[in-house]
Amino acid sequence: MKPVCCNPLIIRYARNKEGNMVKLNDKTAWWRKARFGMFIHWGLYAIHGGRWKGRTIPGPGEWIMAKARIPATEYEQLAARFNPVKFDARAWVKLAKDAGMKYLVITAKHHDGFAMFNSPSNNYNIVAATPWGHDPLRELARACRAAGIRFCFYYSQFNDWHDPDAHGNTWDFPDGTRKNFSRYMRRKCLPQVRELLTQYGPVGLIWFDTPGSIKRGHSLELRRLTRRLQPDCLINGRLGHDLGDYDGLADNQLPAVPTDSRFETAVTINDSWGFKKDDRNWKSAETLITQLVECASKGANYLLNVGPDSTGVIPRPNAARLRKIGRWLKINGEAIYDTQPSPFPYDFAWGRITRRANRLYLHFFKWPAGGEFTLHGLRSRVRRARLMAKPSTPIPVCQQHDRKHDEHVVHISLPRRKPARIIPVVALDLEGRPDADPLPQEQMGGHVMLPVNLAVLRAPKGVSIGPEGTVRNWRTSAPQLHWTFNIRKPGLFRVVVETWLDRLRAERYGTHQVKVTVGRETARGRAGRADFKIRHAGNRYQTAQSDIGLVNIASTGAHTATLLVEKYDPKDTARFDPVGLRLVRVKNAKSFIKSMKAGIG
Ligand code: FHN
């Protein structure tokens, strides 16, 4: 790669093989290519597995000390019982490898304050305080190196329920005025981070967690120490104060809009990070693959968690799902690793798109009826199409351009029957770089997807569209969203308003009276919490879909839709949080209208 422009004072840039400008020596390059990593939450809490004195404690397994308010002196005694004799670093790393994961992040110290590594600076650690006496991180570092997987640490820098000067333990150390966070930094946090960065060879990244109200100076100290000891070690955004090398979404939050490829989301397979005996709410392998694809299509990394038990074994339901993901990636990995977000700035009802250089990958969540597929708005020429699972069988493609409406369409004749049980992928080779019409098009099945990030927002000061693709601070009926989109022919469309909801705070959201106008047509209805159905409990942010009625669009081509709240639900203490609008063509509109009239009559 040759530098094509450089600023002697700051950073040098070059064009990569896809023609994009990239920073030279960009430390995040390996991580952005990786797309998929293993998260491991392992600690003393695995002994309880979410049960305390015969009761299942609500919340994730690793939070048992806080949720059951276990005194630090009592919790400490778990160390004498921690003897994971079945721990096999190579088996864990092999599982990560079989799953197709490229990096591994393990909890070196979680909020309970117990170090899962040899920590000469603090005796409350796995080598000094357990009968087992091993340093599992040393063994994992070695196994990762041998397998070509980047070894990384998680470290809870702010919460430490064992240290009287750190944050979080209000049951043993209730008097906040006696806490001195700098003392904890000097006594425990900085020495331990130093140990992690000097005892295990090259570290891919350090994953700090829950910055809370940490002061900028403390985050800076951690950043400087990391940079000094391992200049190439990445730092995640939860270090605090925007000092990380990349950003993370909230736990179990999937990206709603394309990101700049420096995002990661951490996800649980059930609802707990640490081992929890009674949590059997496992996501299926297909759901997990769908999430991986969702992340890749938006340029984000997917960090999938496992919670080993106290004997050192990764539970079978975790392992089985990981192996299935690995089998899918063996065939389709090219469509995930080292890819960029979809060139289309909106989602499709049938699936998602990733891209690499001049190739697009179509990931089918739903197989098109009879195998007949169309993609609207792709302006580049398609040279060939093939199924990733059967690369030698060419697939017929035909392309048209309607000059009058400047409408581009690709027809692909796929096999009639879905060729794989889980998410088949079709690769399209293009002539040149992908060029997609940025204006949302009516796609196959009559779907027009209008995400919030493509809208023009008219709103009082303080209301804005966030990078995660939702509207921030929409708390009155003043704001409006306007979208421009294309439809293929006149017709009747259902109007669906999609709102985001934080499942853990669902009760705070309201159901609002909303109005959508397209030309002179109006649809009115209620949108929000009333339509919220949990799709998977592990996903914290989910969408409610509210069908608010019909609009008749009388002409082909570009139109504008406007969304506003007519009556803001006064009970809402969160915010109205639309993620988008979806218009869906009503098939056989004439007979539909006839039957509606008959129903009303
Ligand atoms: O409180 C922790 C939780 O236990 C877990 O470690 C997750 C992983 O992202 N982080 C915190 C909550 O955001």
Side-chain angles (χ1 to χ4, degrees):
M1 223 169 16
K2 266 197 186 158
V4 293
C5 100
C6 56
N7 177 337
L9 292 178
I10 319 175
I11 304 160
R12 288 152 59 85
Y13 287 91
R15 266 188 208 288
N16 67 7
K17 61 180 189 288
E18 285 100 37
N20 298 329
M21 296 297 275
V22 291
K23 276 186 209 164
L24 282 179
N25 297 326
D26 178 0
K27 284 197 261 270
T28 64
W30 71 265
W31 174 84
R32 283 183 289 112
K33 284 181 186 167
R35 283 283 171 261
F36 188 29
M38 177 184 263
F39 211 0
I40 305 178
H41 275 68
W42 197 39
L44 296 181
Y45 40 80
I47 295 180
H48 286 304
R51 286 191 207 146
W52 175 246
K53 302 200 167 154
R55 261 188 335 123
T56 296
I57 304 297
E62 74 284 0
W63 268 77
I64 195 161
M65 179 174 171
K67 296 280 177 190
R69 296 174 84 80
I70 306 174
T73 47
E74 198 172 343
Y75 189 87
E76 265 172 17
Q77 289 163 25
L78 287 177
R81 289 168 49 197
F82 197 70
N83 194 16
V85 288
K86 294 190 187 155
F87 170 74
D88 177 351
R90 277 187 301 185
W92 287 15
V93 171
K94 181 172 183 308
L95 179 62
K97 186 108 187 158
D98 289 348
M101 292 156 154
K102 305 288 185 190
Y103 59 110
L104 181 152
V105 186
I106 180 157
T107 46
K109 185 200 80 169
H110 201 263
H111 309 333
D112 66 356
F114 186 72
M116 293 294 284
F117 62 102
N118 180 23
S119 174
S121 65
N122 189 304
N123 271 344
Y124 193 43
N125 74 67
I126 193 164
V127 176
T130 71
W132 192 51
H134 290 232
D135 181 348
L137 268 49
R138 183 171 296 281
E139 293 170 37
L140 279 169
R142 199 174 302 135
C144 279
R145 219 167 295 131
I149 287 188
R150 299 262 183 168
F151 184 55
C152 316
F153 300 114
Y154 166 108
Y155 191 87
S156 170
Q157 80 275 33
F158 184 63
N159 280 298
D160 186 316
W161 304 325
H162 191 255
D163 193 294
D165 285 316
H167 186 81
N169 185 339
T170 50
W171 55 103
D172 288 309
F173 318 115
D175 184 358
T177 61
R178 297 179 64 179
K179 286 185 192 279
N180 181 338
F181 193 79
S182 300
R183 202 154 56 196
Y184 150 79
M185 283 290 287
R186 281 194 305 278
R187 185 180 54 231
K188 187 167 184 183
C189 184
L190 290 166
Q192 288 199 327
V193 171
R194 171 185 290 278
E195 286 158 5
L196 288 170
L197 293 167
T198 49
Q199 293 177 175
Y200 303 96
V203 175
L205 62 89
I206 182 150
W207 215 96
F208 291 106
D209 198 11
T210 49
S213 53
I214 196 167
K215 292 209 170 89
R216 187 166 196 276
H218 291 134
S219 298
L220 257 180
E221 273 185 284
L222 286 164
R223 181 179 168 88
R224 288 195 184 122
L225 179 68
T226 310
R227 281 286 179 272
R228 197 166 63 243
L229 296 173
Q230 293 218 19
D232 287 335
C233 174
L234 299 179
I235 301 171
N236 72 329
R238 291 195 194 177
L239 172 62
H241 301 280
D242 253 341
L243 290 170
D245 297 311
Y246 68 86
D247 274 317
L249 295 155
D251 293 345
N252 281 303
Q253 178 187 7
L254 299 172
V257 295
T259 68
D260 70 352
S261 286
R262 270 164 222 268
F263 269 89
E264 178 184 60
T265 192
V267 166
T268 49
I269 300 188
N270 52 358
D271 293 333
S272 181
W273 302 90
F275 174 65
K276 188 163 184 186
K277 289 178 193 145
D278 299 320
D279 184 344
R280 296 188 191 89
N281 193 20
W282 305 108
K283 295 176 185 124
S284 68
E286 181 160 6
T287 300
L288 300 171
I289 297 169
T290 306
Q291 295 188 336
L292 171 65
V293 170
E294 181 79 85
C295 287
S297 75
K298 309 267 166 46
N301 277 17
Y302 186 62
L303 185 61
L304 184 60
N305 182 73
V306 294
D309 67 18
S310 61
T311 69
V313 169
I314 296 179
R316 203 190 289 259
N318 288 277
R321 283 161 179 77
L322 259 48
R323 290 199 183 96
K324 274 196 187 159
I325 300 173
R327 285 200 286 276
W328 183 86
L329 278 167
K330 270 225 150 59
I331 296 167
N332 302 299
E334 184 195 307
I336 298 289
Y337 305 122
D338 197 11
T339 56
Q340 280 96 48
S342 162
F344 291 85
Y346 51 89
D347 285 339
F348 300 91
W350 52 264
R352 297 288 180 271
I353 295 181
T354 53
R355 93 165 168 97
R356 181 200 280 238
N358 297 345
R359 188 172 289 165
L360 294 186
Y361 301 94
L362 317 181
H363 301 250
F364 285 94
F365 297 168
K366 285 186 206 133
W367 195 246
E372 288 309 320
F373 173 71
T374 53
L375 179 63
H376 298 263
L378 181 66
R379 298 190 280 219
S380 331
R381 279 210 63 74
V382 178
R383 282 181 30 228
R384 99 185 156 126
R386 65 195 162 89
L387 256 174
M388 293 293 286
K390 277 196 191 147
S392 52
T393 317
I395 293 175
V397 180
C398 145
Q399 259 179 301
Q400 286 167 337
H401 178 218
D402 170 350
R403 276 182 202 280
K404 189 169 161 214
H405 299 106
D406 191 23
E407 200 208 305
H408 294 259
V409 55
V410 184
H411 299 272
I412 306 180
S413 298
L414 297 166
R416 291 177 66 81
R417 291 188 46 198
K418 190 178 169 193
R421 210 176 61 72
I422 297 180
I423 312 177
V425 180
V426 171
L428 296 187
D429 287 342
L430 309 179
E431 257 167 36
R433 286 160 55 76
D435 179 12
D437 193 332
L439 198 66
Q441 307 289 313
E442 179 184 348
Q443 293 290 346
M444 193 179 66
H447 289 258
V448 186
M449 309 289 241
L450 303 173
V452 155
N453 61 308
L454 295 185
V456 173
L457 172 71
R458 297 226 174 90
K461 233 174 144 192
V463 185
S464 61
I465 297 175
E468 73 290 347
T470 68
V471 183
R472 293 179 171 173
N473 298 322
W474 186 328
R475 296 199 172 89
T476 64
S477 47
Q480 296 187 354
L481 289 168
H482 303 266
W483 289 268
T484 307
F485 60 93
N486 255 338
I487 60 155
R488 294 200 302 270
K489 55 179 187 192
L492 195 62
F493 286 81
R494 284 207 159 282
V495 180
V496 180
V497 178
E498 301 193 320
T499 41
W500 226 22
L501 201 135
D502 177 349
R503 183 181 58 81
L504 301 183
R505 302 195 176 105
E507 69 295 340
R508 295 176 52 200
Y509 290 78
T511 306
H512 308 274
Q513 179 68 33
V514 300
K515 178 168 114 178
V516 170
T517 342
V518 181
R520 292 210 189 121
E521 291 277 310
T522 299
R524 282 196 163 88
R526 279 148 46 95
R529 187 179 158 201
D531 294 308
F532 177 62
K533 294 182 194 79
I534 293 185
R535 280 180 295 160
H536 194 284
N539 294 346
R540 178 160 171 191
Y541 298 91
Q542 302 193 8
T543 53
Q545 304 205 325
S546 306
D547 188 337
I548 63 159
L550 299 162
V551 287
N552 188 33
I553 305 183
S555 60
T556 305
H559 293 270
T560 301
T562 300
L563 166 69
L564 55 87
V565 175
E566 284 193 311
K567 221 165 124 203
Y568 196 90
D569 183 349
K571 287 199 223 86
D572 189 310
T573 55
R575 58 179 168 159
F576 177 55
D577 204 349
V579 273
L581 201 64
R582 185 188 287 233
L583 305 180
V584 187
R585 181 181 288 279
V586 175
K587 288 184 193 127
N588 305 323
K590 275 190 192 143
S591 56
F592 177 81
I593 293 168
K594 227 166 140 187
S595 66
M596 290 259 293
K597 280 189 182 151
I600 294 162

